Amino acid sequence: MLERASGLDRAGLVSRLTDPVATRTADFVLGMVERRRRGEPLQYVLGLWGFRRLELVVDRRVLIPRPETETVVDVALAELDGLGAGRPLVVDLGTGSGAIAISLALEVPRARVWGTDRSEAALAVARANLAGMGGRVAPRVRLAAGDWFDALPEELRGQVDMIVANPPYVGEEEVLPAEVAEWEPAGALVAGPTGLEAVADILAGAPAWLRRPGVVVVELAPHQAEVATGLAVDAGFGPVDVRPDLAGRPRALVGRLRA
Ligand SMILES: C[S@@+](CC[C@H](N)C(=O)[O-])C[C@H]1O[C@@H](n2cnc3c(N)ncnc32)[C@H](O)[C@@H]1O
């Protein structure tokens, strides 16, 4: 919080700890401390959070980008490389802050990326993050509102090289930590009674939008890996596997459609 208010990095802050500060800066820090004391997640209090190479604007309109999702982007990058598409067309369904979509556009310089979300409020945050990226990335990212594939223009049907998603995957009966349940948007977390509803919708809908070869990468909860693999096979994907996150838990389902 002190780094955020002062604009200094940690080393700079330590070297200037005894400097006086403007009242406005002190008020900013005290305001942040009070919000944190009331239980608001640090990421929302700061209003900025790191994701891979990005520093993203985050607030209560969007899920806080997680380290697991950084691993999902690693998986997506490797799969995209394997496809060998010259100017790959990628769709990030449920883009939230834009973390996945903007990272892919930044890290794959020739990729064209669509980020979609049902929440207009979330898309406003993604738009702000995209605007902060400047000319090398922003022109290659399009944002669109709507329910999963409904957000995409018809002409993309059968043209997409990769679909990536970190959809809601919590079940209605699951108990979440208070800092998550009370602060993060329910629509970004809870999928429905079983928790697998959004994953199932995406896997069932993806083949119609993918080119051959094409690939889907979907983040899920470790306990969903087996059932989700079955759903992917039923939708026509093969081979299907689930890659681990940094803690070694199954996290990113990869389903391929052969040429
Ligand atoms: C788990 S968050 C992921 C956000 C971001 N991609 C990330 O990884 O940090 C899920 C996102 O999906 C969106 N979403 C939920 N249901 C949706 C639906 N039916 N159609 C489109 N987006 C949806 C939510 O608004 C939310 O932004």
Side-chain angles (χ1 to χ4, degrees), residues 7-149:
L8 297 168
D9 64 14
R10 194 154 302 185
L13 191 64
V14 169
S15 70
R16 297 179 56 180
L17 269 183
T18 53
D19 284 9
V21 295
T23 312
R24 215 171 48 182
T25 309
D27 288 347
F28 184 24
V29 173
L30 293 174
M32 284 193 280
V33 170
E34 179 56 20
R35 286 169 67 186
R36 188 73 192 103
R37 197 186 62 75
R38 288 202 216 113
E40 186 168 351
L42 178 65
Q43 294 89 337
Y44 291 155
V45 171
L46 297 176
L48 291 172
W49 199 242
F51 182 85
R52 298 182 67 87
R53 301 184 198 167
L54 306 174
E55 185 164 68
L56 295 166
V57 170
V58 291
D59 62 30
R60 293 191 68 180
R61 293 173 288 179
V62 294
L63 187 95
I64 297 164
R66 305 289 207 273
E68 300 88 279
T69 310
E70 296 184 310
T71 314
V72 172
V73 173
D74 276 330
V75 170
L77 287 170
E79 289 300 316
L80 210 49
D81 206 38
L83 283 178
R87 290 187 64 219
L89 178 59
V90 181
V91 171
D92 168 26
L93 295 172
T95 197
S97 62
I100 298 175
I102 300 173
S103 288
L104 290 174
L106 178 66
E107 296 184 47
V108 185
R110 291 174 63 81
R112 296 159 294 149
V113 184
W114 281 76
T116 77
D117 210 290
R118 183 175 59 181
S119 158
E120 290 280 1
L123 280 176
V125 177
R127 230 170 266 123
N129 281 318
L130 191 56
M133 291 305 297
R136 270 187 331 111
V137 171
R140 290 183 290 111
V141 181
R142 302 284 297 273
L143 297 171
D147 192 61
W148 301 135
F149 301 97

